[in-house]
Amino acid sequence: MMIPLSIHDLAPITPGHTIGQSFAASVALAQTAEKHGYLRVWYAEHHNMPTIASSAPAVLIGHVAEQTTSIRLGAGGIMLPNHSPLAIAEQFGTLAELYPNRIDLGLGRAPGSDQTTARAMRRDPRASDQFPQDVMELQAYLGNESIIPGVRAIPGAGTNVPLHILGSSLFGAQLAAALGLPFTFASHFAPDSLYEAIAIYRRDFTPSTQLSAPYVMVAANVIAADDAADAAQQFVTIRRARVRGMIARGPASPEYTDDQIDTFLTTAQGAQTANMMRYSAVGTPSDVRMFLQDFAASTQADELILAHQSTEIEDRLRSVALTAEAMSGSLV
């Protein structure tokens, strides 16, 4: 049986393109994913990042939903400590009423930004400590009984939008297990605790009204191309961009050349940074299929959520199509 495939989309702002073009690319990506049988597309909340346009996932979900027909759409995730649970319940309740049975709500507790930006968002530094309570408050708003007397989410109440806990550490696994919710591990950029986290989640899982048995999604980067050398070069370009973005922050940062980035990658710190992309399927469709099948088998994942990382939208769309065809067994 083919494992369900989904997509994680940051609405990347690629060099030489506008934010409007980025959103058009996200629509095309979701339409291509829908055509090729992907289960869902999720958008991540990030702020003050010049290469990422998905800062308002609920708005982007609505825009994409209007231009697709069946694929599930959701947040992967909403950084709940940035918001009140009531506001998120109303936003996703609205989406659920507009697009029934198509909306997911993945939740994380990180700021999705640096600390200066978090302060600009009026985020309380202690808000993350309230994450478990905020998840339960949000879940109640989306259900039939609010735990805040006299307060209901309208829209939201009774929609029962499915919640997912996102994590890159053991905390998310423990919370998802305790609440009986699906768990998604961000192994596409934080691979180190993957196997320990999913083992804890499965061991400690408590059934809930939403979920009777553990459900694990794991994330991987993907660059599938017709030519292996082309895919490999795309990966080199993406990895350089990832490293450059991490070591060159702020307007006063120097502009590192490709040679300087490659030299940095030979250092211990550079190797640690490169390790963030450890789970990456790169190559021809058969190469990608082999990697993803092994990854799914080793994690016993119920679903794979893939970040197609190619810089150019045409390459991303081709990667989406090739990966789906490869995983279904119909290589082209």
Side-chain angles (χ1 to χ4, degrees):
M1 182 177 179
M2 176 182 169
I3 186 169
L5 301 179
S6 294
I7 289 179
H8 182 260
D9 182 11
L10 294 175
I13 307 168
T14 55
H17 292 80
T18 66
I19 292 175
Q21 289 172 318
S22 170
F23 292 146
S26 287
V27 170
L29 192 75
Q31 290 172 336
T32 301
E34 184 172 77
K35 175 183 175 182
H36 288 276
Y38 285 76
L39 177 60
R40 62 182 111 233
V41 180
W42 279 1
Y43 306 95
E45 177 187 348
H46 289 283
H47 301 280
N48 195 32
M49 295 189 178
T51 60
I52 295 176
S54 57
S55 58
V59 180
L60 184 54
I61 290 166
H63 177 64
V64 176
E66 191 64 25
Q67 299 178 77
T68 51
T69 58
S70 59
I71 195 165
R72 297 192 66 86
L73 300 165
I78 289 292
M79 301 297 106
L80 191 54
N82 292 343
H83 313 276
S84 75
L86 177 60
I88 296 304
E90 291 168 342
Q91 290 174 22
F92 280 79
T94 298
L95 288 167
E97 296 288 0
L98 291 170
Y99 308 102
N101 302 314
R102 293 184 59 198
I103 303 302
D104 300 323
L105 178 49
L107 301 168
R109 65 170 181 150
S113 62
D114 57 76
Q115 293 304 312
T116 301
T117 306
R119 287 193 294 272
M121 297 178 66
R122 307 296 190 265
R123 185 182 197 268
D124 186 334
R126 299 164 295 179
S128 293
D129 298 337
Q130 296 298 312
F131 182 62
Q133 292 84 356
D134 285 349
V135 172
M136 290 187 286
E137 182 180 337
L138 171 58
Q139 187 174 39
Y141 285 135
L142 293 169
N144 293 312
E145 285 193 31
S146 168
I147 61 176
I148 307 299
V151 179
R152 296 181 74 235
I154 305 171
T159 58
N160 294 301
V161 175
L163 301 185
H164 299 248
I165 299 298
L166 281 58
S168 57
S169 67
L170 305 186
F171 177 87
Q174 293 162 343
L175 180 61
L179 298 181
L181 295 175
F183 178 55
T184 301
F185 195 88
S187 36
H188 62 306
F189 73 85
D192 291 342
S193 299
L194 169 63
Y195 289 91
E196 184 179 4
I198 57 180
I200 288 172
Y201 169 69
R202 290 195 177 104
R203 182 194 70 197
D204 297 341
F205 180 83
T206 302
S208 68
T209 55
Q210 179 178 326
L211 194 64
S212 60
Y215 191 92
V216 173
M217 295 169 62
V218 294
N221 303 293
V222 175
I223 298 176
D226 297 285
D227 179 72
D230 178 27
Q233 185 55 51
Q234 288 187 48
F235 182 73
V236 168
T237 300
I238 290 297
R239 187 173 62 181
R240 284 172 179 159
R242 176 78 63 89
V243 173
R244 188 176 280 113
M246 294 187 66
I247 66 176
R249 296 185 175 183
S253 298
E255 294 187 7
Y256 295 102
T257 66
D258 288 349
D259 287 343
Q260 288 173 317
I261 295 295
D262 291 344
T263 299
F264 171 74
L265 285 167
T266 66
T267 68
Q269 184 182 358
Q272 184 176 9
T273 304
N275 179 62
M276 294 174 65
M277 298 186 74
R278 182 196 314 170
Y279 296 121
S280 296
V282 179
T284 63
S286 58
D287 296 330
V288 167
R289 179 174 63 185
M290 184 178 301
F291 181 97
L292 293 179
Q293 286 179 335
D294 289 347
F295 188 45
S298 68
T299 57
Q300 296 183 304
D302 299 289
E303 184 177 336
L304 298 178
I305 186 161
L306 309 177
H308 291 272
Q309 295 284 10
S310 301
T311 300
E312 298 299 326
I313 182 58
E314 294 81 6
D315 292 330
R316 285 205 300 282
L317 298 181
R318 185 63 176 155
S319 183
V320 166
L322 289 175
T323 300
E325 290 160 355
M327 294 298 285
S328 68
S330 57
L331 291 179
V332 296

